[in-house]
Amino acid sequence: MKQVNILFVLAFMWISSTAYGYTIDELQKAAVTNRDIVGRYQADVEKRSEQIREAKGNFLPSVDAGYLFTRLNDDNLTYSYKESDTAYGTVAWNVFSGFKDKYDLKATEILKEIDQLALKSVKQDIQLAVAESFLSVYRDKANLKVAEDSLNLYRERYRDVELKYKVGILKKNDLLKIKVEMDNAEQNTRRSMAEVNKSLNYLIRETGVDLSLESLDFLIFDTLPQKADYHFYEQQLMKNRSEIEALKKAKTAAGFRIKSAKATFYPKADISLQYQSRNYDDYFWGDSHLDDDEIRVEAALSINLFDGMKKYARINQAKLEERQTDFDLIELEDDLKTQLKNTLLDLQVAFDNLKVAESSRIEADENLRVTDLAFKQGLNTSTDILDAIFYLSRAQFNVINAYTQVFESYFQLQRLIEGFEVLE
């Protein structure tokens, strides 16, 4: 059989892509748009926006209005009549509270940024899942192609052996051996087809798009990805990873909570303006001839001198939270760097295995050619030809596995450094 280089080997394995097929980038965008889990994290961001709006309300005055009805069993010194009513309106404003409102607002704004980073992270997870599912369809389709070609080889050899058996050149057990392997190959082909459909179903689930094999564009797999050294990826990891940035912001938020807790040591200053209109002998405002109006302006300055040491406890809790964030950040960075090293090792092993698998496939291809010639000349047995077909199929499967393992490790590397396209 004709020897071919890796590009032709891939052409031997793959599924042809159409000019209008879905690319991996398009499916990733569709998944981010369609998946409900994105909406779940987006709701967290929107909820945090409402909390910011609530925190900003502390800077504005409070306005209240009311109507009070009173009925006594008898006249008394406070109320001249048994029946009275009062209409009132109050405007109250906290002027100073140790900047607690300011620090609470800043902490809430940072928490929103953390929620946005969590949303970014889950989008990267979805993009990785789509890439892996897309690769799985490609791998299973290639495996199906190998299984089908293997079955065709067995069928061709079965016809050859059957002719030789009929003319008495070969024995019946030679025919039966190939028949058994041919039946096994047919079963493998059916299983491979089922794996293709299962992988496609997973891809449909990940993307929320109704797909078929013909609608997928696998052009991305025609060229092997390039890789850089560890230091380049480490810089990208420290720069891009959402969890690292989120912990840094969490530490900043904890610092604002410390300041907020310390604000309770400062005095509070409040002012209020109140208007009251009273009726003393009727329940309906404006009907009585006995009434009066009152406008009252109050300014209050207060400070808590002792609260059972609760202020100190809240401050210490915020400080401990800040320290915990430092510990979490160090642990996370160490874990991610270790994952990066291991992923790069997997990627390098995949590249090395691919070279070996390519060489082995060429050798298996040549072995089948030579064995086939000798078999036709009556120099080899049916067992030899069965072994040669088996070795070729295994070599082709190894090429597929090694080739797709390169992309799998590469996709995992991109997720690790958050190298997928940032999607809004």
Side-chain angles (χ1 to χ4, degrees), residues 29-61:
K29 292 177 181 178
V32 169
T33 301
N34 296 336
R35 291 295 298 276
D36 289 331
I37 191 172
V38 176
R40 161 72 173 80
Y41 279 81
Q42 184 63 50
D44 285 339
V45 176
E46 295 173 2
K47 183 169 67 174
R48 196 70 69 179
S49 296
E50 293 302 318
Q51 291 176 355
I52 292 174
R53 181 181 177 186
E54 180 183 1
K56 287 181 177 179
N58 293 327
F59 293 91
L60 302 175

Side-chain angles (χ1 to χ4, degrees), residues 93-124:
W93 187 30
N94 173 254
V95 180
F96 180 76
S97 60
F99 300 108
K100 184 179 186 303
D101 294 338
K102 172 186 174 182
Y103 297 134
D104 288 342
L105 175 59
K106 288 184 174 295
T108 306
E109 289 173 340
I110 293 176
L111 291 177
K112 179 183 178 180
E113 295 175 4
I114 293 174
D115 288 338
Q116 289 172 330
L117 289 169
L119 175 61
K120 177 187 173 187
S121 180
V122 78
K123 288 180 179 179
Q124 290 282 314

Side-chain angles (χ1 to χ4, degrees), residues 342-359:
N342 291 341
T343 302
L344 288 174
L345 285 174
D346 290 338
L347 184 59
Q348 185 59 52
V349 169
F351 273 110
D352 294 341
N353 286 345
L354 179 58
K355 293 180 181 179
V356 176
E358 291 171 359
S359 176

Side-chain angles (χ1 to χ4, degrees), residues 309-326:
M309 308 300 289
K310 290 189 291 185
K311 290 190 290 288
Y312 294 97
R314 285 191 290 266
I315 293 172
N316 289 335
Q317 289 176 46
K319 289 181 177 179
L320 288 171
E321 183 179 346
E322 188 178 42
R323 288 179 57 193
Q324 285 177 329
T325 304
D326 284 331

